[in-house]
Structures are given as structure tokens and as C-alpha cells.
Amino acid sequence: MIEDKLKELYQEFLLKHSKAPLYYGKLPVFTHHAEGFNPICGDAITVYLNLEGRQIKAVSFESASCSICNASASMMLQEINLKALNQVLQYYSSFETLLINEEFSEEVVNLSEEFEAFLGLSKFPARKACALLPWETLKKALK
Amino acid sequence: MLTFDFITLLIYIVHLILQILSIFFVLCVKTMFSVESVRSDFPILSSEVNGKSLIYLDNAATAQKPDCVIQAVNQYYRKENSNIHRGVFYLSEQATTAYESTRDLVADFLSAEKSSEIIFCKGVTEGINLVANGFSRSILKEGDEVLISEMEHHANIVPWQIACGQTGAILKIIPVLEEGSLDMDAYKSLLSEKTKLVAIVHVSNALGTINPVKEMIALAHAQDIPVLVDGAQSAPHMEIDVQDLDCDFFVASGHKLFAPTGVGMLYGKESWLERLPPYQSGGDMIEKVDFGGTTYKGLPGKFEAGTPNISGVIGLRSAIHYLNDLDRFGASTHEQSLLGKATAALNEIDGLRIIGTTRNKASVVSFVFDEIHAHDVGTFLDAGGISVRTGHHCTMPLLKRFKVPATARASFSFYNNESDVNALIEALHKMKVFFG
Ligand SMILES: Cc1ncc(COP(=O)(O)O)c(C=O)c1O
């Protein structure tokens, strides 16, 4: 029961993304960056973006964070890399909606299917903040 | 030679007699400590979390409440509720008596000289704010120094940052050594004629380290510097004697002492409490209010404005009675044995590192994994019904010093048993496989 819920939460590729996250490290050249911090658990993350006009050209992050936060950052950057800024903001609200509604509905279909993994968080509400932190930091970087 | 042997023998005999007397005392007056018997005093320990029986290892954050405390609060609201220091009617007099007799009880509990040296407050945070506020309004001047340590809880950092910000005083920090103890040489050299106060944690909530506060107080007093001791974590684990420590202020929170939340105690030496201005103001703390000028009550009323947490104080009274009836020596020996077992077993786990390895520790153990973040540890353990704290434990500068973003922390109370320790260790082994 609860073990299954744990497995759901830490689905294979969530673990994979957190063990070998994509886009990890500091970009040699970047135009935007921000630090995010979750004071409750101590997760800390920095997101780097290189923009040309309203187009994302390169992304990366560095962190001292839990697996959920790292996986979320890795998947987020994969999703937004090389996209236009207005699309990025749509992704952001889709991801928020996914966490709030706890279902992979019509409203969030622009996110790739991989994101279904985050539905496992519905049983662990305290961990939603971990998944959201990279996205909030992204938003901060773009301000 | 002969006289020497005779004296040794005499000391030995006296010692033996005292020991027999103390065992006799424990047997007659208190029941000897038995973990299974105390467990039955705490109703929550028989509840379930995630379908598993609760294993509560977050006692440093807040302690569970014995049934007598829950009943006392319940009884107060059912039969005794009324405000204190006001009405002349029966209930109010009863409530006032209960409230004020708790002050006497707390004074005894901390071995204070006078009950008027005990101020009820919300807890450690408010107690420290009261003192910091008083110091910033009446003592601290530009260029003065306040000395705290790198292992303080935010409650003993931020009020001093604010007090220093308001007065131009400077906050100085005693560094922490690698094993989690204070750098005493640095402490000695940081004390100077500029130091106006030392504010120091007795037992670290993040590491468990027991600081040599008595020695530190003596060193500070040698230069006429007052000392505040944050007793949030020491009062639950050891008997406190403020006169023996000779501290100028001592603060503790009721909720960590098996009493309700929102009530705590500040002890201050009479001379210091007299010197500090009132903290909050309004009803109850006044003697006479007139638009031409108002006069304040003497101690302790001067520092207790407004209707206090009466039910909390009533709960605290019951908690202290509970502790007074407990064989505290037996309880603390039991806690130390849990700490020893947990520490040994944790050290066996590959990739796990204990933060805070000094020998003199209360039953608190903080640890990190090379590969697994503390937050994931917390979620995994919770799934098995085990409550531990994960994060920075309100000691961010300390974690920065150890270069870790967060730790998992197990803190044991006297009602924890060996099977709690075993469950923790087993779950951690399972977790390693899970995340492996
Ligand atoms: C060492 C220490 N100081 C201060 C506090 C603050 O206590 P309270 O939140 O009860 O005011 C705590 C509580 O965690 C603590 O452990």
C-alpha cells in the first residue's frame, strides 16, 4: 500500500532524472539566472538561461536539493529548452494546474507525458513545494 | 598514610550509605523508571500513521503530552475557566491560585531563588525577544557587543540581529568545531569589556551537543558580563539548577517539556529583571494608569501584559508534576542508552555521516547521506510510520558551517524504546536499497 505509493512517487525515471539530471552545471554564458530556496526543507537551486530575444537558447541548473526537486528541474529544462518565452509561461501554468488538480487533464496536455509521474505527489502534499521550486525559480529568473 | 586510608574509607562508606538511601528514596517516593510504563501515559503513542504504529522521533521539535496534561487542560475549560488577577468571585480566585502556584512550581523546577523571577511567556522565542527588546532599549549602545554562537537556533540569532541593528551594537559569533562543540579558546578571546551579553544554547537542537554553560558563565562573570541560556533542549533532558549555573537568564518552552504549546518560562535574576523595561504593555502589567503618567507593577507582573495563556500554564503545572514524579535519572540513563545504540547502528550504514560527534550529547542525532537528500529520507521514513525532522532545524548558519543543505534528525525522549531505534535503522537499510 504505502510502499506502492512510494514507488509511484519515485517512479523509475523520476529517480533517473534526479540521479543523472539533464542540464546540470553552470552555463558558460547566460543572460538570466535566479536562486530559489525552500526554507522548510533547505532545498536550494539556481537556474541559468541564455536568451536571444524571446527565445531560449540554452538552459542549466545547479542545486543542493532532494530528488523530487532535482528531477523536476531536469524535466522542466528539457521541456522549455529552445522554446519561446510565451510557451514557457504556458508550461508553468500547466505544471501548477497538474499539481493542484492532481490529474493529467486536457488543461495540461501541452506537457509531455513523462510529467504524469508527478501525480504520485498527490499522496505526499508536503513534497509538492519541492517539485514547484524549479518552476518558481525559472519564473523569478525571467522577471 | 594511615589517616589518608581512613579518610578514603570514610568517604567510601558515606558514599555507599548515600547510594543506598537514594535507591531507597526512588523505591519509596518515585517508581523506578520503566519505559513501558511511561509509554502508557502518552495516549498518542498507541496511534497509527500510514497504517503503521507511530514511531515518534521528533521530540526535539515538540514532545508528546501525557494524559494528565491533556486532562488538566480539559478540566480547566470544563470546570474552572475564568480570567486571573481580576474577579473576586470563586472561579477567578481558583484560576489565579492555580496560575500563581505554577509559578512557584516552575521556580522549584528550575531551582530559582524566588518565584517572582519566573515570567510566563509563549516559549523560548518570546522569552529571548523579551530580553533582547529590553537590552536594545536600555543597555546596548553603539560599539557594544553581543556574543552568540554558530550553533544557535534562529530564535537566539534574529532577535539579537535586530537589537544590534537598532543600537549599533555588533553581533559576535563563537565558532563551532568539526565535532560539533564550541571553540572555547575562541570564546575566551571574544569576551571583552565591549561584551554586554552572552546568549548561548545549552543543548543544540540540531547536533545534540551539550555546551559547558556553567564554565562559560563563570568566564563571562569574571568580566561582569551577563549570560542568557537557551534551555529549550536542555530542560527536557536534564535537571536544571539556575542558581548552580549562575545564569542571569534561562528560557524554556513548555511544549518541549510535555506541556501544551504557547506557554513557556523565562527565568531572570531579580536584579536584571528590575533593570529591564517592560516588554509588552497594557492590562495586568500596570499599577495605576493615569493620563498624567502610568506606573507599572513590580515583578513578575511587569512583564506579563494582557490575559496570559492560563490553560497552558495549568497544563504546564501538570507536566511539571509529571516530571517531578518521574525517576529523571533513570529516564536520562534510558535516553542515553537509546542514543548510544542509535549512534552505533547509524555508523554501520554505508554512505551515512553523523553531524555532531562530540562525546557530551543529549539524545539527538543528526545525519546525512552522500547520495540521498534528507527530505527523501524523511518521506521514506514517514511511509513507515517513523516521524523524524528533516531540514535545517532553524539553524541555517550551523548547517552552512557543516556545508550541508539539510540533515535528517532523530531525537529521542524517555518514552521511546529500543524497538523505535530498531525500526529506524531497519527502515534506513530498506531505503538504501530503494534509492540504490
Ligand atoms: C535550541 C532552541 N531554541 C529555541 C527554540 C524555539 O522554541 P519555541 O519555538 O518553542 O519558541 C527551539 C525550538 O525548536 C530550540 O530547539
Side-chain angles (χ1 to χ4, degrees):
Chain A
M1 319 96 13
I2 190 74
E3 278 82 5
D4 298 336
K5 299 273 158 26
L6 265 184
K7 290 212 175 92
E8 241 172 72
L9 171 66
Y10 291 105
Q11 295 203 27
E12 282 295 302
F13 62 87
L14 256 191
L15 275 182
K16 201 174 71 205
H17 268 284
S18 71
K19 280 206 173 137
L22 305 168
Y23 311 107
Y24 196 87
K26 190 172 173 178
L27 281 182
V29 186
F30 54 89
T31 54
H32 294 67
H33 81 291
E35 282 175 36
F37 191 68
N38 179 349
I40 295 178
C41 63
D43 279 354
I45 184 170
T46 310
V47 171
Y48 302 95
L49 305 167
N50 196 18
L51 266 74
E52 258 180 48
R54 298 190 53 79
Q55 191 76 25
I56 294 186
K57 287 294 176 195
V59 294
S60 82
F61 81 105
E62 287 181 310
S63 73
S65 296
C66 68
S67 61
I68 307 288
C69 178
N70 282 341
S72 176
S74 171
M75 288 163 72
M76 171 185 86
L77 294 180
Q78 188 174 25
E79 203 76 355
I80 65 158
N81 195 18
L82 306 176
K83 301 275 163 53
L85 278 190
N86 54 347
Q87 258 178 306
V88 170
L89 293 177
Q90 277 169 13
Y91 284 133
Y92 180 92
S93 66
S94 290
F95 188 70
E96 250 188 337
T97 311
L98 175 80
L99 289 188
I100 293 168
N101 293 357
E102 300 181 346
E103 59 176 352
F104 208 72
S105 63
E106 294 280 303
E107 292 168 75
V108 303
V109 283
N110 59 339
L111 289 175
S112 68
E113 256 174 44
E114 258 197 339
F115 277 84
E116 243 180 296
F118 288 100
L119 292 179
L121 284 174
S122 59
K123 296 290 175 303
F124 302 90
R127 305 301 299 274
K128 285 186 180 175
C130 310
L132 211 50
L133 185 64
W135 290 89
E136 282 168 350
T137 312
L138 170 70
K139 209 171 170 185
K140 201 161 136 195
L142 289 173
K143 269 212 178 120
Chain B
M1 204 60 217
L2 198 79
T3 52
F4 173 76
D5 277 351
F6 177 71
I7 289 170
T8 318
L9 191 71
L10 201 68
I11 290 175
Y12 181 74
I13 291 171
V14 169
H15 190 77
L16 209 68
I17 293 172
L18 280 178
Q19 230 167 17
I20 292 168
L21 276 178
S22 77
I23 291 172
F24 188 68
F25 174 76
V26 165
L27 284 178
C28 296
V29 183
K30 309 179 182 200
T31 357
M32 268 235 253
F33 182 77
S34 137
V35 64
E36 289 319 312
S37 139
V38 294
R39 284 180 75 79
S40 64
D41 297 333
F42 292 79
I44 206 170
L45 295 181
S46 46
S47 63
E48 290 197 343
V49 169
N50 286 325
K52 309 259 167 73
S53 39
L54 168 70
I55 296 171
Y56 186 75
L57 301 181
D58 195 16
N59 295 287
T62 197
Q64 299 303 346
K65 319 304 172 203
D67 202 34
C68 60
V69 168
I70 301 167
Q71 293 306 332
V73 174
N74 186 307
Q75 182 77 1
Y76 168 72
Y77 280 125
R78 281 173 166 274
K79 301 204 167 146
E80 297 153 13
N81 179 47
S82 62
N83 213 329
I84 57 163
H85 300 152
R86 285 169 171 80
V88 289
F89 55 91
Y90 177 74
L91 281 188
S92 176
E93 275 176 9
Q94 289 283 97
T96 305
T97 306
Y99 186 88
E100 288 305 327
S101 71
T102 310
R103 201 186 301 280
D104 302 339
L105 195 65
V106 170
D108 268 356
F109 183 72
L110 299 179
S111 298
E113 190 187 339
K114 297 177 183 168
S115 298
S116 57
E117 294 175 317
I118 304 296
I119 311 296
F120 288 120
C121 54
K122 274 199 312 189
V124 167
T125 304
E126 190 177 44
I128 295 176
N129 271 278
L130 186 157
V131 178
N133 180 284
F135 265 70
S136 92
R137 282 158 57 210
S138 70
I139 312 265
L140 296 176
K141 302 263 174 330
E142 193 170 344
D144 285 347
E145 291 176 2
V146 174
L147 186 52
I148 63 172
S149 86
E150 207 175 9
M151 68 166 82
E152 298 311 311
H153 187 281
H154 296 165
N156 200 27
I157 300 176
V158 187
W160 301 116
Q161 284 179 325
I162 292 176
C164 289
Q166 285 169 340
T167 56
I170 300 157
L171 193 59
K172 292 280 182 169
I173 315 294
I174 311 160
V176 168
L177 301 173
E178 196 54 34
E179 82 254 18
S181 58
L182 291 176
D183 182 340
M184 288 296 282
D185 292 334
Y187 172 61
K188 285 171 202 157
S189 59
L190 280 163
L191 290 171
S192 77
E193 73 280 6
K194 288 189 193 153
T195 317
K196 288 296 172 301
L197 180 78
V198 175
I200 186 79
V201 70
H202 197 174
V203 169
S204 158
N205 63 311
L207 307 175
T209 309
I210 303 172
N211 288 319
V213 288
K214 190 172 172 182
E215 184 190 338
M216 295 176 77
I217 291 164
L219 285 164
H221 282 179
Q223 302 190 41
D224 288 329
I225 302 163
V227 180
L228 174 145
V229 176
D230 171 355
Q233 300 294 340
S234 58
H237 296 291
M238 55 186 81
E239 294 193 34
I240 303 295
D241 184 334
V242 290
Q243 291 188 76
D244 178 56
L245 291 176
D246 200 24
C247 53
D248 301 274
F249 300 98
F250 185 94
V251 274
S253 289
H255 70 99
K256 294 183 203 278
L257 266 175
F258 317 96
T261 53
V263 67
M265 59 199 83
L266 163 69
Y267 157 83
K269 276 188 188 161
E270 187 176 68
S271 54
W272 272 109
L273 293 178
E274 295 283 8
R275 234 179 118 179
L276 295 184
Y279 171 51
Q280 296 189 331
S281 52
D284 244 13
M285 51 79 71
I286 48 82
E287 190 179 61
K288 183 162 169 277
V289 177
D290 188 280
F291 288 126
T294 290
T295 51
Y296 310 131
K297 267 189 187 160
L299 296 176
K302 169 179 154 189
F303 289 109
E304 292 182 9
T307 300
N309 184 353
I310 305 168
S311 69
V313 167
I314 304 261
L316 178 64
R317 177 174 66 161
S318 174
I320 292 179
H321 279 311
Y322 182 85
L323 287 173
N324 285 346
D325 289 343
L326 191 75
D327 164 14
R328 288 201 85 188
F329 178 75
S332 121
T333 310
H334 170 69
E335 287 177 0
Q336 284 295 321
S337 127
L338 295 179
L339 175 69
K341 290 200 167 91
T343 305
L346 289 170
N347 276 329
E348 295 282 299
I349 299 178
D350 263 355
L352 182 151
R353 183 160 59 96
I354 293 178
I355 310 281
T357 50
T358 181
R359 239 192 307 139
N360 209 6
K361 276 176 67 166
S363 48
V364 172
V365 57
S366 243
F367 52 93
V368 293
F369 282 89
D370 297 340
E371 299 283 335
I372 311 166
H373 189 273
H375 216 187
D376 295 315
V377 177
T379 296
F380 192 93
L381 293 178
D382 181 52
I386 304 172
S387 315
V388 298
R389 173 86 183 266
T390 58
H392 53 62
H393 320 295
C394 295
T395 55
M396 285 167 74
L398 181 67
L399 265 66
K400 186 172 169 191
R401 185 249 171 265
F402 283 101
K403 300 190 181 64
V404 292
T407 77
R409 177 190 72 188
S411 49
F412 306 99
S413 181
F414 54 74
Y415 48 63
N416 288 118
N417 56 18
E418 255 182 64
S419 76
D420 292 346
V421 175
N422 295 339
L424 169 71
I425 301 300
E426 239 171 73
L428 289 174
H429 280 290
K430 265 199 215 160
M431 182 192 73
K432 284 215 59 184
V433 177
F434 186 86
F435 286 107

